[in-house]
Amino acid sequence: MAPRIGRRLRKGATTTAVAAAAVAALSASQGPGVLANGPAGEHAASGTPTPPPGAPASGNSPYYTDLPPLVSPNPPSAPTTGSPVLGADQQGIPATLLDAYKKAEAELARDRASCHLPWQILAAIGKVESGQANGGRVDANGTTLTPILGPVLNGVGFENITDTDGGSYDGDTVHDRAVGPMQFIPSTWATSGRDGNGDGRKDPNNVYDASLAAAYYLCGNRDLSVQSNLDKAVLSYNHSQAYLTTVLTWFDYYKRGSHEIPNGTGVLPGSRSDTPVRRPAGTVPTPHPSTPGPTPKPTPSKPGPKPTPTRPEPSKPTPSDPGSPKPLPSKKASTFEDADTAPLTATAGSPFAGQAKVRVKDQFGRPMGKATVRFQIIGATDARFPGGATQVTVDTGTDGRATAPALLAGEQTGNFTVRATVVGTSLPEIKWTATVNARQADALARTDTKELTAAPGAEFANYVEVKATYKGAVVPGIAVAAAMIVTPETPATGTAVAGPKVNDKGPYFKDDKGNPIRTLKDLKTDAHGVLRLPKIYADGQTGTFVLRLTTPGGATLDVQLKVA
């Protein structure tokens, strides 16, 4: 068990033996993948490295360090008049928050089934970040009755984050503060905020909005059923080994049982990471948990020498102490630049040829590893990152570089923007214009060789059917234009022309009202690259006429139509 947690348990235990039992019980409750609260850079038990410095979702704000009871939780079947059930109050989750967590889980199950997000991880983060919105003090719509704000992130004991929202969320126009029940910093909320209750607003003070935003933030492109991915997701929320331990302990506790309690009746936490530890009464088993007052010291069974007093553990320095360790490494991301990104172009339905690439350097001009870069798709497009995501986060390597996953173009053509930012910094963003071009074909050919003939005033017996290909492969969904054109051989003119133009006589198509038309533009090949044109009719003109088919890629096919 980590030294810090051991110290906290010893403070609540009455004897050395009880303390040892408490540590053993807590260790057994934490499950795999829990990190020790060791030195910076220490790895998770699952092998996941500590995430990069920066300002994750909460900006590394302080959090509540209270741990759940050391017994397996069981929901109370009915109020009792005897001794209270240890852990029953901690096990209860205010009704509106529990509903918000479960609805967020349900939406993620529909939208990103590969994420496997359990609602209990949201409940654990909600407990640690805000004590379940101060015990469930929310209105009927899920908005907190009073704002929940973290301390000013001015670099004094915490991260230094200059104001990014003009004070609209946190009321501070100089620095940012974490906001709401899930403690989002405004810059993260600006890119990750969600409307969880369908009221058309994205409000970090609303538990439905904040829970859904936290769910998407944790998922990213991860599978949270994998322990190392879950560790990394939690660490991306707050860069702290002790934070991960605390969240996963509550996660395990809620997985083993929970129940709904009325709003406003939740247990308020007593200890925060930026204040001296004060473990709530009853969370560590004592010989007589229901007896108020201090526990008497054990009396020796027979006279003897006085026991040597245990040397007190040194108290953990608070962030304001001169000798307090800084929460983040001294190096900071100072340079953010493009790393020779190739043009981001693709044909509809195909992967993009280029990938967005960036480089991060610290204040000394050296490549900065483990910086978190967020890549986002901005604008009207159906292009997506793998898994259908519109944003992904990538950590820089030891060379300071991060490369976005290859984009996949959808069916919508045109331009959109790909944006990259370094999470938790105010460094200028980098933008690229991405282009999706229409599918191309280098050849059009008829699917049969039947002669196309008709008598004057009659319809052609056979349809015109063609197949589009590109380098021999069929091209589905490609646009094809059709036009009856005038050529030097067309008897309707009798003279040569400078270039093809639409013929106003001879064979024709019909529009929706039955009127003759001789051009068609809204045509596309099917999934097999095949296009069958509408029925063609002949007027009173006789001779050989030309139907020309073209594609955006330059493929052209002339089809002869004979009227005799």
Side-chain angles (χ1 to χ4, degrees):
M1 183 39 59
R4 177 180 175 189
I5 294 178
R7 287 198 296 271
R8 292 168 62 190
L9 292 173
R10 282 193 288 274
K11 291 173 72 175
T14 57
T15 66
T16 303
V18 173
V23 172
L26 181 58
S27 299
S29 74
Q30 287 182 338
V34 178
L35 298 183
N37 183 24
E42 192 170 74
H43 283 55
S46 61
T48 302
T50 303
S58 67
N60 292 328
S61 293
Y63 57 91
Y64 289 107
T65 57
D66 298 51
L67 293 176
L70 300 181
V71 295
S72 297
N74 293 297
S77 55
T80 59
T81 55
S83 298
V85 178
L86 185 61
D89 53 347
Q90 292 284 9
Q91 181 194 5
I93 299 175
T96 299
L97 280 89
L98 183 60
D99 184 52
Y101 300 146
K102 290 185 176 181
K103 284 184 176 177
E105 177 194 53
E107 175 162 335
L108 267 290
R110 293 189 298 269
D111 188 44
R112 294 190 188 176
S114 61
C115 173
H116 302 110
L117 174 116
W119 67 262
Q120 290 91 343
I121 196 65
L122 298 176
I125 290 177
K127 180 70 174 181
V128 171
E129 291 291 349
S130 68
Q132 309 295 18
N134 290 335
R137 296 187 69 247
V138 297
D139 63 19
N141 296 317
T143 301
T144 57
L145 298 179
T146 56
I148 301 175
L149 297 173
V152 177
L153 298 176
N154 57 5
V156 181
F158 312 112
E159 187 150 356
N160 188 356
I161 303 180
T162 305
D163 175 61
T164 60
D165 66 329
S168 60
Y169 289 126
D170 55 14
D172 192 325
T173 58
V174 180
H175 293 91
D176 271 349
R177 303 173 69 177
V179 180
M182 301 304 271
Q183 289 290 277
F184 277 95
I185 54 174
S187 57
T188 303
W189 184 259
T191 57
S192 302
R194 299 273 174 166
D195 177 13
N197 60 357
D199 64 356
R201 300 176 61 234
K202 298 177 182 179
D203 183 2
N205 297 296
N206 183 277
V207 294
Y208 290 100
D209 295 359
S211 298
L212 187 60
Y216 275 99
Y217 184 90
L218 292 168
C219 275
N221 58 355
R222 304 181 182 98
D223 178 358
L224 298 187
S225 65
V226 178
Q227 184 64 46
S228 60
N229 289 342
L230 182 63
D231 292 350
K232 187 173 183 180
V234 175
L235 284 167
S236 75
Y237 211 92
N238 189 312
H239 174 52
S240 164
Q241 302 279 347
Y243 179 84
L244 175 64
T245 300
T246 306
V247 168
L248 291 186
T249 303
W250 280 106
F251 173 55
D252 176 72
Y253 181 75
Y254 287 136
K255 282 197 303 180
R256 289 184 286 128
S258 62
H259 63 277
E260 177 184 306
I261 59 175
N263 288 343
T265 64
V267 177
L268 297 179
S271 302
R272 282 205 326 176
S273 60
D274 60 338
T275 57
V277 175
R278 294 182 292 108
R279 189 170 181 82
T283 56
V284 176
T286 64
H288 304 285
S290 60
T291 303
T295 304
K297 292 182 180 179
T299 304
S301 57
K302 58 181 180 179
K306 272 188 176 182
T308 304
T310 305
R311 186 166 64 181
E313 297 262 356
S315 60
K316 182 183 177 183
T318 62
S320 60
D321 292 337
S324 177
K326 294 182 180 180
L328 294 173
S330 58
K331 66 178 182 178
K332 295 181 180 179
S334 296
T335 303
F336 186 42
E337 58 192 11
D338 186 291
D340 302 320
T341 298
L344 301 178
T345 59
T347 301
S350 303
F352 276 71
Q355 292 173 254
K357 299 178 181 180
V358 296
R359 183 188 298 109
V360 181
K361 296 179 181 178
D362 62 19
Q363 67 268 39
F364 308 108
R366 299 174 300 195
M368 183 171 175
K370 296 184 178 180
T372 301
V373 178
R374 178 177 291 120
F375 295 94
Q376 295 174 283
I377 297 172
I378 308 296
T381 181
D382 54 357
R384 293 291 184 267
F385 290 112
T390 57
Q391 68 175 29
V392 295
T393 55
V394 180
D395 292 347
T396 57
T398 55
D399 60 355
R401 291 172 176 261
T403 301
L407 285 163
L408 178 64
E411 295 301 320
Q412 187 172 345
T413 60
N415 297 333
F416 63 94
T417 299
V418 176
R419 179 172 66 192
T421 55
V422 182
V423 175
T425 73
S426 58
L427 292 174
E429 62 190 17
I430 299 174
K431 292 182 179 180
W432 301 269
T433 297
T435 303
V436 179
N437 297 312
R439 287 185 172 88
Q440 297 184 355
D442 57 13
L444 282 171
R446 289 187 61 192
T447 59
D448 60 47
T449 58
K450 296 176 181 177
E451 189 177 36
L452 299 168
T453 62
E459 63 183 41
F460 284 77
N462 298 314
Y463 286 90
V464 176
E465 187 176 88
V466 297
K467 179 181 289 187
T469 57
Y470 180 74
K471 295 182 179 179
V474 298
V475 184
I478 189 169
V480 179
M484 304 293 180
I485 64 169
V486 176
T487 67
E489 294 80 19
T490 302
T493 61
T495 58
V497 293
K501 66 178 183 179
V502 177
N503 203 338
D504 60 355
K505 296 181 174 61
Y508 60 89
F509 304 103
K510 288 183 179 181
D511 63 15
D512 294 339
K513 297 180 180 179
N515 299 319
I517 55 173
R518 291 182 170 84
T519 59
L520 295 174
K521 295 181 179 180
D522 298 326
L523 303 174
K524 282 191 177 182
T525 57
D526 63 15
H528 305 287
V530 174
L531 168 65
R532 172 178 280 194
L533 272 65
K535 179 72 73 174
I536 302 175
Y537 303 87
D539 62 7
Q541 301 291 320
T542 60
T544 300
F545 300 85
V546 175
L547 168 64
R548 176 162 292 179
L549 305 175
T550 58
T551 70
T556 301
L557 174 65
D558 287 347
V559 179
Q560 289 191 342
L561 304 173
K562 295 181 180 180
V563 181

